[in-house]
């Protein structure tokens, strides 16, 4: 009985969500917009994206990057999961965000570390100053779709192409000629079309190999422990500087950087991938 009631409530909730005006009709992006900026299905109050029947599993099925079911290599469609060198690459997704991106940039500066920022188009449009700061400080960029559309890979090639181009245009409105040679699919929900279109547009699909699920807010201690335990040469570490409350990630980064820089050479993913 409890399950039935939960399912009914879930359906009613999904229906209600579908009536929210700024939702894309018939398609879940996993994103909502709160008073303090966009949330990308990472917050407990963010709710389950509409159209997802498995409400009982929570956002883990469809939510943030680290939640993707595609954690094995079978579903990556050739997306890179390592740096391709002995160096370790830190990646920061979903920004830029005026609350957290400057804190991340300051910590990276303090440890003389360069990283890669997988930015969301609408956030790039809203915060061009932060895109400029990212580039000016020697970090590299990765396209992370316009609106963090976890379902983008299921859309038509034309729709995917338009989304990726719109995102690149927003980035280049802030930094003309900015190299954007990486694409990371939200939720890691890779499909053959999204990989193909990204490649056609000159971007290499980028996954990850170390995922502390920081968007689930496990606390700085757990984020730190996961990264330091799993890091190895060539790791691509998935972190988030936006999409919700990221103070835990910032606090973890403060603990992670002294250790990682002692053990590894860190790099921003190159803008000339081979
Ligand atoms: Zn993301």
């Amino acid at each position: 009985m409890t399950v039935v009631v939960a399912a009914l409530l879930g359906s009613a909730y999904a229906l209600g969500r579908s009536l929210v005006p700024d939702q894309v009709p018939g398609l879940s992006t996993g994103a909502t917009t709160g008073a303090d900026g966009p949330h990308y299905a990472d917050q407990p109050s963010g709710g389950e994206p509409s159209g997802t029947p498995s409400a009982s599993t929570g956002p883990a099925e469809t939510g943030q990057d680290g939640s993707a079911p595609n954690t094995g290599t079978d579903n990556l469609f050739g997306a890179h999961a390592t740096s391709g060198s002995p160096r370790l690459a830190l990646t920061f997704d979903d920004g830029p965000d005026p609350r957290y991106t400057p804190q991340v940039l300051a910590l990276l500066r303090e440890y003389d570390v360069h990283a890669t920022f997988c930015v969301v188009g609408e956030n790039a449009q809203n915060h061009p100053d932060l895109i400029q700061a990212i580039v000016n400080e020697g970090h590299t960029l990765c396209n992370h779709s316009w609106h963090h559309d976890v379902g983008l890979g299921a859309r038509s090639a034309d729709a995917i192409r338009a989304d990726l181009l719109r995102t690149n245009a927003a980035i280049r409105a802030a930094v003309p000629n900015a190299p954007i040679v990486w694409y990371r699919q939200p939720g890691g929900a890779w499909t053959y079309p999204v990989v193909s279109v990204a490649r056609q547009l000159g971007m290499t699909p980028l996954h990850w190999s170390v995922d502390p699920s920081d968007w689930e807010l496990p606390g700085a201690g757990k984020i730190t422990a996961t990264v330091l335990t799993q890091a190895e040469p060539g790791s691509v570490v998935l972190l988030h500087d936006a999409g919700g409350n990221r103070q835990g990630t910032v606090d973890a980064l403060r603990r992670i950087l002294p250790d990682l820089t002692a053990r590894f050479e860190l790099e921003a993913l190159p803008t000339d991938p081979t």
Side-chain angles (χ1 to χ4, degrees):
M1 176 57 86
T2 303
V3 171
V4 172
V5 171
L8 288 171
L9 286 172
S11 299
Y13 185 56
L15 179 62
R17 294 265 305 164
S18 72
L19 299 175
V20 175
D22 63 356
Q23 291 286 304
V24 177
L27 182 74
S28 163
T29 64
T32 59
T33 301
D36 57 347
H39 288 204
Y40 299 120
D42 53 289
Q43 298 293 289
S45 61
E48 183 72 11
S50 59
T52 304
S54 55
S56 62
T57 61
E61 284 292 318
T62 56
Q64 276 279 4
D65 305 307
S67 68
N70 304 341
T71 50
T73 56
D74 290 349
N75 295 322
L76 297 185
F77 296 91
H80 289 211
T82 61
S83 72
S85 82
R87 293 180 288 277
L88 181 146
L90 295 178
T91 61
F92 295 92
D93 283 20
D94 298 359
D97 182 303
R99 294 163 295 179
Y100 305 110
T101 305
Q103 296 185 65
V104 168
L105 289 172
L107 282 168
L108 294 174
R109 195 184 312 128
E110 182 179 340
Y111 286 89
D112 195 22
V113 165
H114 289 144
T116 299
F117 287 78
C118 296
V119 301
V120 173
E122 62 179 353
N123 293 338
Q125 183 179 61
N126 290 334
H127 306 291
D129 55 319
L130 293 175
I131 297 293
Q132 290 161 2
I134 288 168
V135 172
N136 287 342
E137 299 198 26
H139 308 294
T140 57
L141 293 168
C142 169
N143 181 321
H144 197 38
S145 86
W146 178 259
H147 190 58
H148 206 273
D149 188 349
V150 173
L152 184 63
R155 304 183 69 178
S156 71
D158 284 348
I160 296 169
R161 187 176 295 106
D163 185 294
L164 271 52
L165 286 173
R166 186 183 184 193
T167 301
N168 282 354
I171 294 170
R172 292 199 171 112
V175 181
N177 304 315
I180 310 165
V181 303
W182 300 97
Y183 173 73
R184 176 172 278 162
Q185 167 60 28
W190 298 103
T191 63
Y192 178 76
V194 81
V195 164
S196 298
V197 171
R199 288 193 186 283
Q200 287 164 14
L201 296 177
M203 295 183 283
T204 300
L206 174 67
H207 200 69
W208 57 80
S209 61
V210 176
D211 175 17
S213 296
D214 62 331
W215 63 274
E216 291 187 301
L217 312 182
K222 273 198 161 184
I223 297 169
T224 302
T226 300
V227 172
L228 295 186
T229 302
Q230 298 184 8
E232 58 185 23
S235 288
V236 174
V237 179
L238 173 64
L239 295 167
H240 294 84
D241 64 332
N245 185 337
R246 298 291 172 253
Q247 198 57 51
T249 300
V250 172
D251 293 344
L253 189 62
R254 191 173 290 112
R255 305 186 201 176
I256 287 167
L257 283 171
D259 185 294
L260 286 187
T261 52
R263 292 162 59 198
F264 304 100
E265 188 177 346
L266 274 61
E267 70 167 2
L269 288 165
T271 54
D272 56 344
T274 55

